[in-house]
Structure formats: C-alpha cells, structure tokens
Amino acid sequence: MLENITNVRPFGDDFRWFLKLKCGNCGEVSDKWQYITLMAEDSERFKTIMQFECRGLEPVDFQPQAGFAAEGAETGTPFTEINLQERDWNDYDEKAKESVGIYEVAHQFIKC
C-alpha cells in the first residue's frame, strides 16, 4: 500500500533483485537468496516492475532490500535510499507537510 508516494522504482545501476529459485528440472528450491543485477501507481493492485528470463529456473520468493527510490505524490519530492527489507517504509514530505510510506510490500510471479 502506498501513502502519498508515487514512482517507486529500483535506484542505481547496481541494484540487486534478491530471489529464491526453483530448478525447472529437479524441482529443488535454493535455501539462500540469489541475486540478479540488472543494468537498466496503483496502491492496492500488483504492478509489473520487472520481468526475468530464467531459463530452467523458476523464482519462488522475493526479498526486497535497500536501493529503491520514489517521489512525493503531490510535490515530486525525491526519496532515495528506500529500504524495503522490513516490507514497510515511511518518511515525511516537508513540502506537503504529510507522511509518506510504503506498507505491506507483497509480490507475485507470473509466468510469461
């Protein structure tokens, strides 16, 4: 759920997506988080933020980390270095004089 915040996105050229993967052949799921490095607004609905080509592996879990950015919905105030590891984040937009936040981060994987 987003509170007075928009344009949530990965920030920086070295952003890492932390995933748990399942082998498409044997079905084994990794115990550890694996990361993928890429170079490259609706509050209550899922939104596509990334597509992966996994070639024989299937993502089964996602752990958000630090490195996200967003903007104040009314003011465009930049918020960088957003850490979503706890699946909640909040701050205060001085220009709008209101709290901003990202709460209850959830994910889903859809096979293409």
Side-chain angles (χ1 to χ4, degrees):
M1 181 169 70
L2 304 179
E3 177 188 20
N4 303 316
I5 201 89
T6 189
N7 198 20
V8 178
R9 65 200 177 278
F11 185 70
D13 291 337
D14 61 347
F15 183 83
R16 294 179 179 187
W17 295 92
F18 285 84
L19 305 170
K20 284 200 177 181
L21 302 170
K22 178 172 85 173
C23 177
N25 292 322
C26 70
E28 182 180 348
V29 176
S30 61
D31 290 332
K32 297 182 180 179
W33 294 103
Q34 310 296 316
Y35 70 83
I36 300 170
T37 302
L38 301 173
M39 303 299 184
E41 315 276 300
D42 299 333
S43 178
E44 298 295 325
R45 296 188 320 199
F46 281 103
K47 205 166 193 184
T48 300
I49 61 170
M50 183 52 58
Q51 292 182 356
F52 301 105
E53 183 178 331
C54 295
R55 297 184 183 191
L57 297 174
E58 178 183 344
V60 294
D61 203 357
F62 167 64
Q63 173 64 53
Q65 300 282 328
F68 284 87
E71 298 169 2
E74 299 298 319
T75 64
T77 300
F79 294 91
T80 58
E81 300 299 321
I82 295 173
N83 186 336
L84 295 175
Q85 189 169 6
E86 299 297 323
R87 300 193 185 260
D88 287 324
W89 167 87
N90 61 17
D91 206 330
Y92 190 77
D93 187 336
E94 295 287 341
K95 291 180 187 174
K97 295 187 180 2
E98 62 188 5
S99 63
V100 295
I102 302 170
Y103 307 103
E104 301 174 15
V105 173
H107 68 277
Q108 67 182 9
F109 296 109
I110 300 172
K111 289 187 177 183
C112 299

